[in-house]
Amino acid sequence: MSGAIPERAVELLGEVRRRRPRIHCLMNSVVPKFVADGLSALGAIPSMTSSPEEVGHFVAKADALLVNLGTLDAQRREAIGIAVDVADEKGRPWALDPAHCDYSPPRAAFAQELLARGPAVLRANAAEYDLLAVPADVVAVRTGKADRIAWNGAVLHVENGHPLTALVTGTGCLSGAVIAAFLAVEADPFLAASAAMLVFGIAAEMAGKTATGPGSFEPALLDALASLEGTHILQFAKADNEQG
């Protein structure tokens, strides 16, 4: 399957840019502009409200939803519940990012409750991932030096990326939003998540070639997401099936 992933990633990136899916992000309060700019650079259309009065209307008009648990407060908890209800009702795919659930037992418990609600994809770092029991029907993306995407017995490792991503707040949040954008154009969640992590990792590598530090890496990553072409994906992809 790994041999087909780069080619499918090229096709799906083209679909995102052609269809311009609307992605609603329930995002932590630290990085909404960066995530919105990243989605726009990729070719999607972001919306970011966390108002309980409005969020259901926005999700109903979105093509996919991202639920990020950063800066979790009572209003965001309420908005998340409404958003997931509407996504389920409308048949919209959604991704879960349990940001920093390893710091907070209540947040970890809430993340586990949300996993039972049936997101298409979980995106988590190793510390977050190890706290959670991922249902078999949820694509599990564990990020790190190499990203591991697992679902239904299939496991893919994506080794593209750049160390500067760890020094810029919001890069993980943005990768979750990119997954949501690919979910909006691809019904197979494993393929969508694999293609999204490959695209994001290659964009990070491209950004790292021109950035001189974290301050210049952030705008370089936005530029790379906007300028990324299929030829870059086919040339630089490092994706392999896990050997059992």
Side-chain angles (χ1 to χ4, degrees), residues 14-240:
E15 280 295 289
V16 169
R17 290 172 172 169
R18 182 181 68 82
R19 291 167 54 178
R20 293 184 54 79
R22 187 177 298 276
I23 311 304
H24 191 75
C25 302
L26 282 165
M27 183 55 54
N28 70 73
S29 61
V30 180
V31 296
K33 184 181 185 302
F34 177 50
V35 172
D37 286 347
L39 281 173
S40 296
L42 183 71
I45 300 172
S47 57
M48 314 296 287
T49 185
S50 61
S51 165
E53 294 181 350
E54 292 187 318
V55 68
H57 301 290
F58 275 80
V59 174
K61 293 186 177 181
D63 297 295
L65 168 69
L66 171 65
V67 174
N68 179 293
L69 301 189
T71 58
L72 189 63
D73 55 25
Q75 176 178 303
R76 281 187 175 80
R77 280 178 177 262
E78 181 182 359
I80 288 167
I82 295 168
V84 171
D85 285 344
V86 173
D88 288 345
E89 177 187 342
K90 299 291 185 181
R92 305 289 191 265
W94 60 286
L96 173 64
D97 184 337
H100 297 305
C101 71
D102 53 317
Y103 289 17
S104 166
R107 187 176 299 188
F110 186 49
Q112 195 65 60
E113 292 173 13
L114 289 171
L115 279 170
R117 301 285 306 272
V121 178
L122 169 75
R123 189 224 72 92
N125 65 32
E128 297 157 355
Y129 184 93
D130 288 345
L131 282 178
L132 301 171
V134 185
D137 58 347
V138 175
V139 175
V141 177
R142 187 185 69 199
T143 60
K145 186 176 181 180
D147 299 322
R148 182 180 187 271
I149 303 100
W151 184 54
N152 199 28
V155 180
L156 186 78
H157 288 269
V158 173
E159 296 185 3
N160 296 98
H162 194 277
L164 282 174
T165 57
L167 301 181
V168 177
T169 300
T171 52
C173 305
L174 177 53
S175 71
V178 173
I179 289 172
F182 277 72
L183 285 171
V185 301
E186 172 52 56
D188 182 329
F190 179 81
L191 178 55
S194 298
M197 295 309 296
L198 187 59
V199 163
F200 188 82
I202 292 171
E205 286 185 0
M206 291 169 61
K209 291 177 181 178
T210 60
T212 57
S216 55
F217 182 77
E218 180 177 323
L221 179 57
L222 298 179
D223 287 346
L225 286 168
S227 62
L228 184 67
E229 298 290 345
T231 52
H232 298 128
I233 297 172
L234 297 178
Q235 181 178 357
F236 299 122
K238 292 179 282 187
D240 291 294

